[in-house]
Structure formats: C-alpha cells, structure tokens
Amino acid sequence: MKLIKRYADLERLAASPAYENLRCDFLGLVGEQAVDDASPDSFILEACCHMALLEPGDTDLAALGLRGSLREQWPEYVERVLVGRSQDLYRIGIMPDNECFILLYTIQGTLDPETEVWLAEQAQL
C-alpha cells in the first residue's frame, strides 16, 4: 500500500497508471482544505483524510484505521475509471465515521479474485 500524505508521496507514483487520477484528487483536496497561500508542495493530508494506492497482496487496512479487509468495508461509493486503452482503476470512497474520509485506488486485476469480483459488483450499484 502506498500512502499519500504529501505531494512528494504522489510524485513517487508518477509511473503508475493511476497517477493522473490521484493527482487530480490530491489537488482538489488542496484547493478545498488549504489556506490561501498554501502550495501543493507544502500541503499535508491531515488525520481526517487518507489517500492510498493498493498494491498486490494488500489485505490489511489497519494503516488507514480500518479493521478487516476491503470487502468488509461499507464504501460510500466505488467507481470504475478507464485509465488506459484496456486498463481500469477502481476509486473507492470510505467514510468510517463523520470526521474521516478515505480514498482508495487500485488498478483492476491487482487484488485477489474475490475482491476484484466484489469491486466490480460495487461499481455497478
């Protein structure tokens, strides 16, 4: 799992097919939460918001304050976004309480088959 708290964390993912989506969402959060003179380079996601790119084998979400696997969560939404000619990205929003929001991203085909089926079902709801 790649946690994104600063713009520098995001820049390390520049080779990922998910990069542009992550970047747009991060910059949107900068615009919403930062003070007028803040730049993306100085902005840090606070404890109330998390962004992470899930990688193969990621099953433990404890680093994000979540218990259980992704399939045990109740996402606010799951979106399937086309990022390449034949590659999709899942964008998952989870709100574990009224003061925290978590944005998770995973490239289709990255996680175990059961989770992939679950994500596809959630994205169609």
Side-chain angles (χ1 to χ4, degrees), residues 10 24 34 42 44-45 51 53 60 92 103 105-106:
L10 179 63
C24 287
S42 63
I44 301 171
L45 285 176
M51 287 179 73
L53 177 63
D60 185 8
I92 306 145
L103 288 171
Y105 305 81
T106 184

Side-chain angles (χ1 to χ4, degrees), residues 40-103:
D41 293 331
S42 63
F43 181 74
I44 301 171
L45 285 176
E46 299 293 328
C48 64
C49 185
H50 300 286
M51 287 179 73
L53 177 63
L54 299 178
E55 299 177 296
D58 281 343
T59 57
D60 185 8
L61 302 177
L64 301 167
L66 298 173
R67 292 184 182 179
S69 70
L70 184 57
R71 287 182 285 144
E72 295 173 285
Q73 307 306 312
W74 293 90
E76 297 296 313
Y77 63 87
V78 176
E79 296 176 314
R80 181 186 268 170
V81 181
L82 184 65
V83 293
R85 291 182 180 217
S86 62
Q87 197 166 36
D88 287 342
L89 166 76
Y90 287 109
R91 183 175 182 262
I92 306 145
I94 298 172
M95 192 169 182
D97 59 46
N98 289 334
E99 297 182 23
C100 182
F101 196 76
I102 299 170
L103 288 171

